[in-house]
Amino acid sequence: MTDLVVPAPSLPSVPTATGGRFPVRRVYCVGRNFAAHAREMGHDPDREPPFFFGKPADAVVADGADTPYPPGTDRLEHEVELVVALGRGGHDVSVADALGLVWGFAVGIDLTRRDLQAEAKRLGRPWDLAKGFDHSATVGTVVPAAGVDPTSGAVTLHVDGELRQSGDLADQIWSVAETIAALSRSVALAPGDLLFTGTPEGVGPVERGSVLRGAIDGVGVVETRIV
């Protein structure tokens, strides 16, 4: 075996309700998957198929850990989401088989440098630095899929105790199964992949010192403090 010329990076992971840790291979996110959120961002949800963007695996922040306020932005915004953790992989997976790939679910917070995203949209450039920056994906404890109904459940996010986002998984335009199937037509999915499945309306800015608490009925909670 060829010796590595620099130290190998550590494998990111998040805790699970079973006591072990879930290794993170890739992080995918689906955009504008709640109609009200799509409209608040100026888009028509009835005309768009699902589209995806990514975050680095090492952008993941475990539940309860602090999140550094990122450089290069004056508008950091929160988006609470259901996170799907895949225990099996596949390519061109059918909707009927898609949930069979899922190991578990968690609550996540997708942080966005909204001013950078707006500029990228204006110039027709990629969203990478607006979405895929360091510490941009907070993920709570992953619970086994057997105990979760991903088709319904209240979704909320509080900032410093104030309710900012409120919705329901039933409001998703594309179901979890449909989203997994759509993604698998473009990339080969694998164990360790995380999929953020979209956020309800009410996204907004956070500041240094803000405490964010996301919750999804039947899944759990996630909390982080912006520092």
Side-chain angles (χ1 to χ4, degrees):
M1 178 183 293
T2 302
D3 291 336
L4 300 176
V5 298
V6 297
S10 60
L11 178 66
S13 65
V14 291
T16 72
T18 61
R21 297 189 68 85
F22 185 88
V24 180
R25 173 182 175 264
R26 293 180 181 174
V27 180
Y28 298 100
C29 307
V30 61
R32 298 193 288 263
N33 197 26
F34 283 73
H37 171 60
R39 293 188 185 100
E40 77 175 346
M41 301 304 292
H43 298 275
D44 184 348
D46 297 326
R47 296 182 180 178
E48 292 185 333
F51 72 95
F52 301 90
F53 57 91
K55 294 176 180 278
D58 62 4
V60 168
V61 175
D63 179 35
D66 289 343
T67 297
Y69 195 100
T73 183
D74 293 318
R75 192 170 181 87
L76 180 67
E77 293 196 354
H78 57 74
E79 301 184 8
V80 62
E81 312 198 12
L82 176 70
V83 178
V84 181
L86 298 186
R88 294 175 52 207
H91 178 66
D92 199 17
V93 178
S94 71
V95 174
D97 293 336
L99 292 182
L101 275 58
V102 179
W103 189 92
F105 297 94
V107 186
I109 300 174
D110 167 13
L111 291 173
T112 303
R113 294 195 278 206
R114 193 70 72 194
D115 45 359
L116 271 66
Q117 185 188 37
E119 183 70 357
K121 289 178 178 179
R122 185 181 72 84
L123 296 173
R125 294 176 177 173
W127 292 5
D128 296 56
L129 295 184
K131 285 287 194 177
F133 54 93
D134 298 337
H135 317 293
S136 59
T138 309
V139 179
T141 299
V142 182
V143 298
V148 178
D149 176 7
T151 66
S152 65
V155 182
T156 59
L157 184 129
H158 289 77
V159 178
D160 297 329
E162 175 190 356
L163 181 64
R164 292 278 193 89
Q165 290 185 261
S166 180
D168 196 284
L169 295 178
D171 300 330
Q172 291 184 326
I173 298 170
W174 301 94
S175 69
V176 169
E178 290 169 331
T179 301
I180 293 171
L183 180 59
S184 77
R185 290 194 288 272
S186 295
V187 296
L189 301 174
D193 288 346
L194 296 180
L195 174 58
F196 281 64
T197 59
T199 194
E201 64 181 316
V203 300
V206 295
E207 308 291 340
R208 289 179 176 86
S210 297
V211 175
L212 284 58
R213 187 179 191 275
I216 299 177
D217 284 355
V219 179
V221 299
V222 65
E223 187 169 300
T224 189
R225 178 169 61 100
I226 309 296
V227 298

